[in-house]
Amino acid sequence: MEELLVKSAVGSWKQVIGRIDQGFLEANDEKLQKQVAPGKNRLLYLLGHLTAVHDRMFPLLGIGERLHPELDEAYISNPDRTLPDPVSVADLKKAWSEVNSGLIAAFEKLTPAEWLLKHTAVSEEDFAKDPSRNRISILLSRTNHASFHAGQAVLAK
Amino acid sequence: MEELLVKSAVGSWKQVIGRIDQGFLEANDEKLQKQVAPGKNRLLYLLGHLTAVHDRMFPLLGIGERLHPELDEAYISNPDRTLPDPVSVADLKKAWSEVNSGLIAAFEKLTPAEWLLKHTAVSEEDFAKDPSRNRISILLSRTNHASFHAGQAVLAK
């Protein structure tokens, strides 16, 4: 029963990432400079932001080392158009694909019991008090985060 | 173990709905007429759309009768500004709250085994071939759908 529940959660992640993949990887450089609404984030910023946030999931879930910490300053710590884009569009698209395929490979190796272990940003004490601060909750909240920005990305024209 | 997995999925739904709640219920009539981006959906349309889609979850999950089928024509079957808004803003906010509190009450009664039963839009034969077409997958996909539109709603100004 628990295998099927975990499979549903990982399946939901894959579905969201798959849809974002399609949109972003098809977008050319000009399209990626479009904003989702006047004065709001560029598509390129959202791509960088999601790549950096997902890259942080490796250490947060305790499933590996980060691949692209060079994206954080421009795409997490600062709003869009504060800093120059740190890498080329081609390299950012490559980073996005690397990070997400690395995550999915790691997700598929975790057992249900391992999904229920604590994530690395919570202490043993706090986790003992609240066992919902586990890996699967991070997976679900990052899936929602990706959906949130996917909804914005489709508005760019 | 399966209780904790289900609790995480229901918790993720509650978190997303709670955030949308805050934004929509605080918005006055004038704010709800704003579009998320020029020429795109009004906030009011998104509120109607999410209410109608969530109301459809009662029969889809086999957990109850619909409360507000009168919203479908304007907020699911047709794009924004095609039909007049079928109910007042106050009634729509009330419907949104009723639907979501009814769903949460029903969710909290389902056992893990019941979450893994088929939803009502899949046949017994198809479900036997693909057991992931269950209630929990609907919950996760509707959570993502709500997040998708929540990302758009925050852009309205």
Side-chain angles (χ1 to χ4, degrees), chain B residues 73-153:
Chain B
E73 267 299 292
Y75 298 129
I76 295 186
S77 312
N78 287 285
D80 194 14
R81 296 175 299 265
T82 312
L83 298 180
D85 295 304
V87 299
S88 70
V89 168
D91 284 348
L92 186 57
K93 285 180 173 180
K94 204 172 141 224
W96 160 259
S97 297
E98 277 172 6
V99 166
N100 288 302
S101 57
L103 284 176
I104 287 173
F107 292 169
E108 294 192 330
K109 284 186 204 138
L110 292 177
T111 64
E114 288 170 336
W115 275 112
L116 290 173
L117 295 179
K118 76 175 196 70
H119 59 71
T120 63
V122 64
S123 69
E124 293 286 359
E125 294 71 33
D126 289 345
F127 183 62
K129 282 179 222 151
D130 181 3
S132 77
R133 302 180 70 177
N134 52 33
R135 285 168 163 161
I136 199 95
S137 294
I138 296 288
L139 176 69
L140 296 172
S141 96
R142 292 302 178 276
T143 308
N144 290 333
H145 175 259
S147 296
F148 185 92
H149 289 303
Q152 298 174 336

Side-chain angles (χ1 to χ4, degrees), chain A residues 46-106:
Chain A
L46 289 185
L47 179 60
H49 179 66
L50 289 171
T51 305
V53 168
H54 293 182
D55 193 40
R56 284 184 172 187
M57 290 172 74
F58 288 107
L60 181 58
L61 296 175
I63 54 173
E65 297 289 320
R66 296 197 58 177
L67 304 175
H68 292 288
E70 74 277 10
L71 303 175
D72 288 17
E73 267 300 292
Y75 298 128
I76 294 186
S77 311
N78 287 285
D80 193 15
R81 297 174 298 264
T82 313
L83 297 179
D85 295 304
V87 300
S88 69
V89 168
D91 284 348
L92 186 58
K93 285 181 174 181
K94 205 172 140 222
W96 159 261
S97 296
E98 276 171 9
V99 165
N100 288 303
S101 57
L103 284 176
I104 286 173

Side-chain angles (χ1 to χ4, degrees), chain A residues 1-10 12-13 15-16 19 36-40 112-113 115-116 130-132 134 136-137 140-141 143-145 147-152 154-157, chain B residues 1-10 12-13 15-16 19 36-40 112-113 115-116 130-132 134 136-137 140-141 143-145 147-152 154-157:
Chain A
M1 193 186 301
E2 53 268 19
E3 279 81 6
L4 208 47
L5 291 167
V6 161
K7 202 180 153 194
S8 299
V10 174
S12 166
W13 166 269
Q15 191 174 48
V16 169
R19 281 186 201 141
V36 300
K40 304 286 183 176
W115 274 111
L116 290 174
D130 182 3
S132 77
N134 52 33
I136 199 96
S137 294
L140 295 172
S141 97
T143 308
N144 289 334
H145 175 259
S147 296
F148 185 92
H149 289 303
Q152 298 175 333
V154 298
L155 299 174
K157 53 182 177 184
Chain B
M1 191 185 304
E2 53 268 21
E3 278 81 7
L4 209 47
L5 291 167
V6 161
K7 202 181 153 194
S8 300
V10 174
S12 166
W13 166 269
Q15 192 173 48
V16 169
R19 282 187 200 138
V36 301
K40 304 286 183 175
W115 275 112
L116 290 173
D130 181 3
S132 77
N134 52 33
I136 199 95
S137 294
L140 296 172
S141 96
T143 308
N144 290 333
H145 175 259
S147 296
F148 185 92
H149 289 303
Q152 298 174 336
V154 298
L155 299 174
K157 52 181 179 187

